């Protein structure tokens, strides 16, 4: 089981967010990313959002 991450820089946004979230488990990563998407980007937590976040997951460590 390797590290996983979601990089906000890969998703176009009005705020040009540069946050990267990483975790060892997919569930933990999606939960943290969903909380970020709601709190910072104004999204509604929904199955559709979580599906989009799941598609944004990358394996390994984020590039510098």
């Amino acid at each position: 089981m390797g590290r996983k991450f979601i990089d906000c820089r890969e998703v176009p946004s009005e705020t040009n967010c540069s946050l990267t979230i990483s975790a060892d488990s997919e569930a933990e990563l999606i939960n943290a990313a969903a909380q970020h998407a709601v709190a910072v980007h104004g999204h509604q937590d929904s199955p559709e959002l979580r599906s989009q976040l799941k598609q944004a997951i990358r394996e390994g460590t984020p590039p510098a």
Side-chain angles (χ1 to χ4, degrees), residues 28-55:
E28 184 180 21
L29 179 57
I30 290 174
N31 285 334
Q35 289 175 16
H36 170 73
V38 169
V40 175
H41 297 290
H43 293 284
Q44 294 294 320
D45 193 348
S46 66
E48 293 81 15
L49 173 65
R50 289 175 178 262
S51 176
Q52 291 172 344
L53 292 171
K54 188 172 183 174
Q55 292 175 8

Side-chain angles (χ1 to χ4, degrees), residues 5-61:
F5 70 94
I6 295 175
D7 189 340
C8 267
R9 294 175 295 185
E10 295 180 357
V11 181
S13 73
E14 293 176 7
T15 61
N16 294 317
C17 184
S18 64
L19 184 73
T20 300
I21 301 170
S22 62
D24 290 334
S25 79
E26 185 174 295
E28 184 180 21
L29 179 57
I30 290 174
N31 285 334
Q35 289 175 16
H36 170 73
V38 169
V40 175
H41 297 290
H43 293 284
Q44 294 294 320
D45 193 348
S46 66
E48 293 81 15
L49 173 65
R50 289 175 178 262
S51 176
Q52 291 172 344
L53 292 171
K54 188 172 183 174
Q55 292 175 8
I57 293 174
R58 304 289 180 255
E59 296 284 334
T61 56

